[in-house]
Amino acid sequence: MDNHAADIGLIGLGTMGANLALNIAENGFRVAVHNRTVEKIEGFMHDAGPLTSQLVACDTVEELIRAIKPPRAVILMVPAGPVVDEYIATLRALMDDDDIVIDAGNANFQDTNRRAASGAPFLGIGVSGGEEGARFGPSIMGGGRKVHWDRVAPILQAIAADYQGTPCATWMGEGGAGHAVKTVHNGIEYADMQMIAEAYGIMRDGMGLQPAQIGAVFEGWNTGALKSYLMEISATVSKAVDPQTNAPVLDIILDRAGQKGTGRWTAIEAQHLGVPATVIEAAVAARNLSSRLEMRIKGESLFGAAPQRLADGQLTIDTLGNALIAGKIMCYTQGFELLAALSAAHNWTLPMPEIAKVWREGCIIRSTMLNDMANALSESPDANLMFSDFFARLMRETQTDLRQTVSLAAQSGLPAPALSAGLSYFDMMRTGQSTANLIQAQRDFFGAHGFERRDAEGAHHGPWGSN
Ligand code: 6PG
């Protein structure tokens, strides 16, 4: 056997791919690497330092295949979409039947389902944690056939983040299950980020706090129930100063948010499956609205800016923090409901407690609360999260603060769409008698769709003709 014999291959040396390759190498595995632009391979090898000895640079896919010990596994870290299909076709033509292709990009799980359906060994793995995670320990959500996962699990578990000794790399189910879990992760990521941004807006415009003061609040929140990676980095970015101008960095960043689409996919899937993921939907819509900068400026000149400033002491930092806790519970309740619906729709058995566990470290949404969720879901995996003992108690403790925050924000023209969506969801979920009886009457009136009666079985119609 060639003395270059690599344990695994990796194609795509962009930021994520390069860092993942170094992570694999650092964990004692030999990695064959390839990139379409060959200069990138040279640069990567040059920067790899002492890890170079664990890396085999391959100028062509053919070389890469020759460099890997059979049965082979090749990770694709290339842009989601047609590029993945192109590489799969190229690899399949060169690979043995039991060689595995692993798509580690942010694929749409429907594409992963389609790719897995060809029958050739294929894994779709969601990798979360950004650049830093890829290099030092991401959270990995695996999908595909279990036998194939088991073959590469030793490598994936070695490179993953670990939570108190438990690796954050878990097989979620067949086909696109791993990418589906990653998609919901990203939807939640959007919502977590949006709710923190709403709290920032309330503090900046409602309370008149400066970025550094807001950073200090985030830092304080990062010691309690809201402790999370996103809270931590929100504190850091809020306190950062722009070296060019000495102004707070936040003040010089244009308020127009980008997105690559995974949050939107989550909202689309929720709509497809009839799951109310309203907090995530609000977060996606808020990003869309943020990009309409010119329109917003026009709106401000037409209608005038809202008053925004709250009276001193009208809203406390503690109340706002509790509002975030309640909003977060609503968001995750919806996220896990969506996962349950995806599981049923695609004949998976998505392991809810394991999902909460794999998100405890390495990924962007990692937080203390995820450990509590893992515990709550372990006790009753099928239960709605907000009805579990732990989170029901937390909701009882924090819901009035969410209500106060949302109502003060509304009165002052401080946009808080995700927190508001969380509050509305909570209120609807605690309403035994909703207003849908009127909807049913309307439907029956114009379309004879029928309705159920409270006092009798079966489908009924209203006396509309006789009125
Ligand atoms: C992760 C992230 C990552 C995502 C970026 C950007 O889990 O590491 O979700 O996969 O690509 O966060 O996403 P947007 O461009 O859509 O904000």
Side-chain angles (χ1 to χ4, degrees):
M1 189 176 294
D2 166 352
N3 64 358
H4 280 328
D7 299 295
I8 195 161
L10 186 144
I11 296 177
L13 293 172
T15 312
M16 290 295 283
N19 281 304
L20 209 61
L22 294 175
N23 184 357
I24 300 171
E26 194 159 65
N27 276 283
F29 301 98
R30 187 174 269 258
V31 197
V33 293
H34 170 71
N35 192 77
R36 191 168 274 177
T37 322
V38 177
E39 297 77 61
K40 212 162 195 170
I41 311 177
E42 288 158 14
F44 169 74
M45 294 299 283
H46 178 263
D47 296 343
L51 290 174
T52 315
S53 60
Q54 289 294 101
L55 300 162
V56 187
C58 306
D59 288 352
T60 63
V61 177
E62 288 80 359
E63 258 182 67
L64 178 103
I65 294 298
R66 277 198 301 274
I68 310 167
K69 281 184 270 189
R72 302 174 186 85
V74 175
I75 297 175
L76 291 177
M77 206 32 140
V78 297
V83 182
V84 174
D85 290 306
E86 284 165 32
Y87 270 115
I88 292 172
T90 308
L91 284 166
R92 278 284 151 231
L94 300 165
M95 282 174 140
D96 294 334
D97 287 351
D98 59 348
D99 290 349
I100 307 170
V101 177
I102 305 170
D103 177 14
N106 264 337
N108 186 316
F109 78 87
Q110 307 276 14
D111 286 338
T112 308
N113 274 342
R114 168 179 57 79
R115 289 167 185 146
S118 79
F122 184 74
L123 294 172
I125 64 170
V127 177
S128 176
E131 204 177 323
E132 184 86 356
R135 178 67 183 86
F136 299 109
S139 164
I140 298 177
M141 295 142 257
R145 293 200 36 221
K146 180 77 165 50
V147 291
H148 299 140
W149 168 263
D150 287 342
R151 241 167 65 194
V152 289
I155 297 181
L156 298 179
Q157 286 171 347
I159 64 162
D162 78 273
Y163 179 86
Q164 298 179 2
T166 306
C168 295
T170 305
W171 180 75
M172 299 296 170
E174 302 269 330
H179 277 141
V181 173
K182 174 63 167 55
T183 299
V184 176
H185 165 284
N186 279 35
I188 292 173
E189 174 184 305
Y190 276 44
D192 266 348
M193 291 166 76
Q194 174 63 24
M195 287 187 287
I196 297 173
E198 289 172 14
Y200 158 70
I202 291 170
M203 287 189 276
R204 182 188 68 183
D205 303 328
M207 300 177 177
L209 298 190
Q210 294 304 310
Q213 295 172 299
I214 295 171
V217 172
F218 288 153
E219 221 163 50
W221 284 343
N222 200 38
T223 58
L226 289 169
K227 185 172 166 52
S228 66
Y229 170 71
L230 285 170
M231 191 59 78
E232 180 192 323
I233 65 164
S234 300
T236 306
V237 300
S238 299
K239 289 176 144 191
V241 172
D242 173 43
Q244 281 174 37
T245 58
N246 273 337
V249 173
L250 275 188
D251 289 352
I252 59 153
I253 298 179
L254 194 64
D255 57 324
R256 187 154 56 185
Q259 55 181 315
K260 296 202 194 75
T262 42
R264 187 180 305 149
W265 292 345
T266 312
I268 290 170
E269 280 310 319
Q271 287 292 340
H272 267 312
L273 296 170
V275 175
T278 53
V279 183
I280 295 168
E281 287 166 4
V284 175
R287 283 208 195 182
N288 296 338
L289 271 162
S290 82
S291 69
R292 302 187 167 195
L293 183 59
E294 289 78 20
M295 203 101 96
R296 288 189 283 118
I297 291 169
K298 194 172 170 189
E300 183 167 327
S301 64
L302 184 63
F303 300 108
Q308 300 206 325
R309 212 41 197 270
L310 302 166
D312 280 351
Q314 216 179 356
L315 182 68
T316 67
I317 294 296
D318 281 353
T319 300
L320 187 56
N322 283 342
L324 271 185
I325 293 174
K328 190 163 174 163
I329 298 169
M330 294 301 94
C331 165
Y332 281 75
T333 296
Q334 295 180 349
F336 279 101
E337 287 267 290
L338 176 55
L339 285 164
L342 280 164
S343 188
H346 294 273
N347 287 322
W348 295 319
T349 316
L350 292 180
M352 299 303 159
E354 297 309 312
I355 294 173
K357 284 182 192 166
V358 89
W359 289 346
R360 287 180 303 190
E361 260 311 332
C363 67
I364 302 293
I365 63 171
R366 61 187 184 259
S367 73
T368 305
M369 211 186 271
L370 272 161
N371 191 46
D372 300 323
M373 291 179 199
N375 291 338
L377 291 164
S378 299
E379 279 162 28
S380 38
D382 301 323
N384 177 306
L385 199 62
M386 69 183 273
F387 294 154
S388 68
D389 290 347
F390 183 88
F391 287 103
R393 180 183 56 73
L394 214 46
M395 275 314 288
R396 278 190 207 99
E397 284 169 15
T398 56
Q399 61 99 5
T400 50
D401 289 338
L402 177 61
R403 190 175 309 288
Q404 197 190 347
T405 300
V406 167
S407 49
L408 283 172
Q411 279 170 31
S412 306
L414 294 158
L419 289 171
S420 305
L423 178 64
S424 295
Y425 176 75
F426 176 70
D427 282 338
M428 289 199 79
M429 287 294 280
R430 64 184 317 212
T431 295
Q433 181 166 357
S434 78
T435 53
N437 46 336
L438 177 63
I439 306 287
Q440 284 298 75
Q442 290 164 334
R443 290 178 69 244
D444 190 52
F445 188 96
F446 63 65
H449 296 294
F451 53 75
E452 295 167 291
R453 290 182 67 105
R454 292 182 185 281
D455 55 2
E457 296 285 314
H460 299 268
H461 293 284
W464 320 126
S466 56
N467 286 318

